[in-house]
């Protein structure tokens, strides 16, 4: 899916009760992730409704 398709699906299916970080994650390992535009992100906090699923592969 493209970024715009993902954002459209998100807006249709998710109740937006808090502000969301505008990133579409492409890959990750441990506490780091890379979004579709190549930005390296570090997940160092828990969030609202967080699931500890980790990354595969």
């Amino acid at each position: 899916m493209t970024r715009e398709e993902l954002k459209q699906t998100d807006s249709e299916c998710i109740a937006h009760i808090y502000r969301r970080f505008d990133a579409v994650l492409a890959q990750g390992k441990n506490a780091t992730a890379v979004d579709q535009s190549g930005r390296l992100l570090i997940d160092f906090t828990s969030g609202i409704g967080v699931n500890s699923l980790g990354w595969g592969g």
Side-chain angles (χ1 to χ4, degrees), residues 23-36 39-43 51-57:
V24 177
L25 303 181
Q27 63 182 355
K29 183 175 182 178
N30 299 324
T32 60
V34 178
D35 71 3
Q36 284 185 333
R39 291 185 299 177
L40 179 65
L41 307 165
I42 300 174
D43 182 9
N51 291 311
S52 298
L53 301 176
W55 288 92

Side-chain angles (χ1 to χ4, degrees), residues 1 3-6 10-11 14-17 19-20 22 26 31 33-35 43 46-47 52:
M1 288 184 122
R3 178 183 185 88
E4 292 308 314
E5 290 171 330
L6 287 168
D10 177 76
S11 69
I14 303 296
H16 295 277
I17 57 173
R19 186 170 166 230
R20 297 172 60 89
D22 188 27
V34 178
D35 71 3
D43 182 9
S46 62
S52 298

